[in-house]
Amino acid sequence: MASANPYQTYQQNAVTTAAPGELTLMLYNGCLKFINLAKVGLEKNKIEEKNTNIQKAQNIVNELMVTLNMELPISKNMMALYDYLNRRLMEANIKNDIDILTEVEEMIKEFRDTWKQAIQLNRQHQHAAGSSGI
């Protein structure tokens, strides 16, 4: 049965065929989208909309936490940072504080941009290794 929404089908296929690094990038982008929607909801005094989108952002942060490879030393630092972001999102939700949302948004942007660079460097390394016959 064909999907009624081709965009939804495309997104589903993008997620199911993405490499793990790309999935993490999608999570960061999704988190940023929901934080932005929460800010819009707050600005328009649509508290339910703000609440729903903050909870979606929190769900993504939780997903980032559970997918950390705790065998890597950096994962302990990332776990602490994600925990901080999660607590700040809760606080932003309770206090209806757009400044806290902006703080979390900036941190997520930094993580996303760093992750994007890591993916690009990894691709360059794999391409170089592949072309040299290694």
Side-chain angles (χ1 to χ4, degrees), residues 4-127:
N5 185 341
Y7 179 71
Q8 247 179 345
T9 303
Y10 169 80
Q11 279 203 304
Q12 184 65 35
N13 288 339
V15 169
T16 56
T17 60
E22 298 289 336
L23 286 174
T24 300
L25 195 57
M26 288 177 183
L27 287 171
Y28 285 137
N29 285 329
C31 191
L32 290 169
K33 175 181 113 176
F34 293 126
I35 290 169
N36 188 48
L37 290 171
K39 287 168 81 172
V40 170
L42 196 54
E43 288 167 351
K44 292 182 177 179
N45 205 28
K46 293 184 176 182
I47 300 307
E48 190 174 328
E49 187 178 306
K50 174 235 25 162
N51 178 56
T52 299
N53 286 296
I54 287 178
Q55 287 179 353
K56 288 179 179 182
Q58 284 181 280
N59 288 340
I60 290 173
V61 172
N62 286 330
E63 183 65 23
L64 290 165
M65 290 170 85
V66 300
T67 58
L68 281 173
N69 177 355
M70 295 311 289
E71 310 255 326
L72 302 173
I74 194 169
S75 293
K76 289 174 182 58
N77 294 336
M78 290 305 295
M79 181 65 82
L81 289 167
Y82 289 151
D83 183 57
Y84 172 78
L85 292 174
N86 211 8
R87 285 185 280 119
R88 292 298 278 167
L89 285 168
M90 278 188 260
E91 190 177 348
N93 205 359
I94 292 166
K95 294 181 176 179
N96 293 324
D97 191 324
I98 203 160
D99 292 334
I100 296 174
L101 288 174
T102 300
E103 172 197 342
V104 173
E105 181 181 41
E106 291 304 315
M107 289 180 71
I108 294 288
K109 280 181 184 175
E110 284 186 40
F111 294 156
R112 184 215 38 210
D113 293 347
T114 301
W115 192 255
K116 199 184 291 187
Q117 286 179 322
I119 289 172
Q120 289 169 343
L121 288 172
N122 188 44
R123 280 190 190 139
Q124 290 171 0
H125 177 73
Q126 286 176 341
H127 181 71

